[in-house]
Amino acid sequence: MWGIVPAAGRGSRIQPLAFSKELLPVGSRHHDGTDRPCAVSEYLLERLILGGVDKICFVISPGKSDILEYFGDHYGSALLAYVVQPDASGLCDAVFRASTVVGEHEDVMVGLPDTVWFPKSALQTLPDADLSFLLFPVEHPEFFDAVVLDEGRVVEIQVKQPNAASRWIWGAFRMSARGFGELQALWNARERRDEYFGTLVNAYLAAGGRGIGVKAGESYVDVGTLGGYRTAMALLADSTCDGRVRQWVAGASPDGARPATMGNGAIA
């Protein structure tokens, strides 16, 4: 199964940085007997691998060669590939650019590389379906894509909508090979005008597609702001001895979601 990591964004909310925001040091990892800084995107890679991914495609902009230099050709047990997104044209464009390496018969998982969430193994709860979302509870769903459900079925994605009808947002999602193909075909048919994945999903649902939401997430933090970065550090420091964390809820302030970091992913 492929994992897709959209990493072509400019990271304007947390500038200035001298490197790609996906390499922002957050927490630490234990490697070769030494604690070393951990890049925020390593937390997503760790979770994708736990979810069953064995190949990961980074979608990067032309100026983000530092990501390739940092990770190389593999991370842990997963092989890595890189695809270039010439312009930051939105999540749909990034996800479907990965089709140049993703085969026609493999499922995919997608997550955001500037987030940290718990539990680490939550992607394992997503079913073998055409489209399923891993959901997290947040205090301020208006900063995210809120997912409205009816007995587990996705009714609507409310993209950064004030007074959202749900406090559950998606933090990652899975598509079957068929679902990936159908959503890409629909995006092309809509003249690739969907920037947000949520608007494309709404069109997919209206056309008879089906999505499933799984409320398996506990804590979610967007590390793309300074406030989020601080929250991420606090969340990791608040980890308990058994590897779980207390209930932290994202979206603490208009600055963005509360961030977190963690993990001891290692570059083999």
Side-chain angles (χ1 to χ4, degrees), residues 2-31:
W2 276 93
I4 299 175
V5 180
R10 292 180 292 269
S12 57
R13 295 178 302 161
I14 199 168
Q15 292 298 336
L17 292 174
F19 47 83
S20 297
K21 65 182 174 68
E22 292 80 12
L23 300 182
L24 183 70
V26 183
S28 62
R29 57 184 172 85
H30 197 71
H31 183 58

Side-chain angles (χ1 to χ4, degrees), residues 3 5 7 41 45 56-60 67 71 80-84 113:
V5 180
S41 52
L45 268 59
I56 296 173
C57 176
F58 273 96
V59 182
I60 60 176
I67 294 178
F71 285 108
L80 303 184
Y82 300 85
V83 170
V84 173

Side-chain angles (χ1 to χ4, degrees), residues 156-173:
E156 180 186 9
I157 308 288
Q158 297 181 339
V159 180
K160 296 177 174 61
Q161 181 174 309
N163 303 313
S166 171
R167 64 186 288 262
W168 290 86
I169 64 154
W170 69 258
F173 55 93

